[in-house]
Amino acid sequence: MGIFGPNSTDVEPGFNWYALYVHARKESFVASQLQGHGLECFLPTYKSVRKWSDRVKEVEQPLFPSYLFCRFDFQDRRPVVMTAGVQKIVGNGRTALPVAQEEISAIQMAVSSGASHQPWPYIEVGERVRVACGTLSGLEGILINFKGNHRVVLSVSLLQRSVALEVDLAWLVPVNEQRRVVNSGGVLQTSAVSSSIR
């Protein structure tokens, strides 16, 4: 990660999605400030149950704590880096790296679907599957089995962060020829794939 100012190395011109590293617990505040500058922001959240000694409350929390996404032209980044609360534009060395549009679209679809979702440890292994029906139709991710429940994991490669959505196996079709499922013990299992997921 790096901090990018007016003299940093530019990437290709045009509007792209970038991940911004912001002050902890200030994600919503920063997003509203950026939107006030006319910038498009995306702050994915999930519902979490918080317990206190005298009450239990459901609260919205960021899926990627201390991160949010903003779409802008990197050559016109000054309003972004000057916004209070923004610490860094995520990149490699002095080069900003846009987040893949398909990854942003997948996360947007996931949070707007109403399906139960939560933060998940970043993974790269496992079978790639596609949801074939319902509000998540067309969504692709990695299939895992965690404590007897099946989830599709979506990842943001640049952040090395993931999100898991609960799914019904009947909704899924394999994308690859080999089936790889990560079980709750972290063991990778491989077997032949038929036309549906068992």
Side-chain angles (χ1 to χ4, degrees), residues 74-115:
F74 186 73
Q75 294 186 19
D76 188 24
R77 63 194 173 276
R78 188 171 182 81
V80 176
V81 298
M82 297 301 291
T83 297
V86 174
Q87 297 191 68
K88 305 175 183 179
I89 299 175
V90 180
N92 182 12
R94 299 291 288 175
T95 304
L97 297 175
V99 179
Q101 177 63 55
E102 56 268 24
E103 292 182 347
I104 292 291
S105 297
I107 301 296
Q108 288 175 327
M109 182 185 293
V111 298
S112 65
S113 70

Side-chain angles (χ1 to χ4, degrees), residues 41-57:
C41 289
F42 174 44
L43 176 58
T45 60
Y46 72 106
K47 292 180 180 178
S48 173
V49 175
R50 301 291 299 273
K51 295 181 180 179
W52 288 271
S53 58
D54 60 338
R55 67 190 190 282
V56 176
K57 185 179 180 181

